[in-house]
Amino acid sequence: MKIENTDQLFRCFSGKKVLIIGDVMIDSYMWGHVDRISPEAPIPVASINKRENCLGGASNVASNIKSLGAVPLTCSVIGNDANALEFIRLLENDGMDSSHILKSGGRKTSVKTRIISSGQHLLRVDEENTDALNKTEFTSFTRKIEEVINTEKPAAIIFEDYDKGVLSPELISFVVELAHKHHIPTTADPKQKHFLAYQGVDLFKPNYHEMKTGLKTEFPRDNLSAIQGLGTKLIKDMGLKYVLLTLAEAGCVIISRDAMHQVPAEIRDISDISGAGDTVIATATLCLTCGLGMKDIAYVSNLAGGLVCEYSGVVPVNKTELINELKEKLPADLSK
């Protein structure tokens, strides 16, 4: 499929079911101002005037899938606590199904709280546990995933890894094998701990830092020859189809066994890069399900990731904005 017709692309996205498996969380924000130092210690005192909770982690990927017109199926394990109730409320208020979320009394629902003053982040407080799923949780979770695949028949599966314990090499292997059996494409947004565990996924999307730490090697962002070499080796060693490497202000590159394309970053008024990777993996996955070529996948997902950076906090991509930018900026030679 080619994307000269942007409306056709989004019609292809519409209604596709995408299974998102990984670490969900609440992104909590406290906004205020600082005008004094504490008498108890040399630290600022923040007077809070606004609070907000949002979906984060794998659930922000789900929000992006929904914003792009597709249907997210979010599958994860959270705690059985007050934050779990808030997470379910946020998911359902956003019009998403919560029936594939498992609760466990042995876990804690992850919450990241950011305290912000005058647009500056003062502090982040994390409430979480990062232990791997125990045997009972693992068994229940794999059964739930298999049930969702069999009943919902998703068009793609996304692994969204935040190193919070939901994903493990055993779980990844189980899901990839199941996906291959059902001919479902898989994509992965990895973290360092299980970086090399995503054997056999179709599209692997690390960022620059994750690539360096995951491979335990250093390479400059602008050394395209080194980047292509590392990407090609990953593809051969892990049985991947594509590596989509995001490079922040340097844009992104997409690599296959025998080719590489670079997409430069758009010039933007950057407000916050939080959640941009979630947008990229969601967009790239939907592009993959629509049969776009590697250059198209990189271009559209890079544009989507850049758009969310113009907003403060973690937000999903605005479909109308993305459509308008694609119509305005789509290179004449794309897809040729």
Side-chain angles (χ1 to χ4, degrees), residues 37-50:
I37 300 299
S38 171
E40 301 167 357
I43 56 174
V45 175
S47 297
I48 302 301
N49 52 44
K50 181 183 176 184

Side-chain angles (χ1 to χ4, degrees), residues 57-123:
S59 47
N60 185 48
V61 176
S63 291
N64 277 276
I65 291 291
K66 183 174 181 292
S67 290
L68 291 167
V71 179
L73 309 168
T74 311
C75 204
S76 188
V77 184
I78 60 176
N80 191 9
D81 48 24
N83 288 326
L85 296 176
E86 173 64 3
F87 175 80
I88 296 298
R89 184 191 72 80
L90 289 169
L91 200 67
E92 293 179 347
N93 280 2
D94 203 22
M96 291 188 281
D97 186 3
S98 65
S99 65
H100 311 312
I101 303 293
L102 301 184
K103 293 181 181 179
S104 171
R107 298 191 70 79
K108 184 184 290 187
T109 305
S110 295
V111 182
K112 293 181 181 179
T113 303
R114 299 165 175 88
I115 302 173
I116 303 169
S117 170
S118 302
Q120 300 295 316
H121 286 234
L122 299 181
L123 182 68

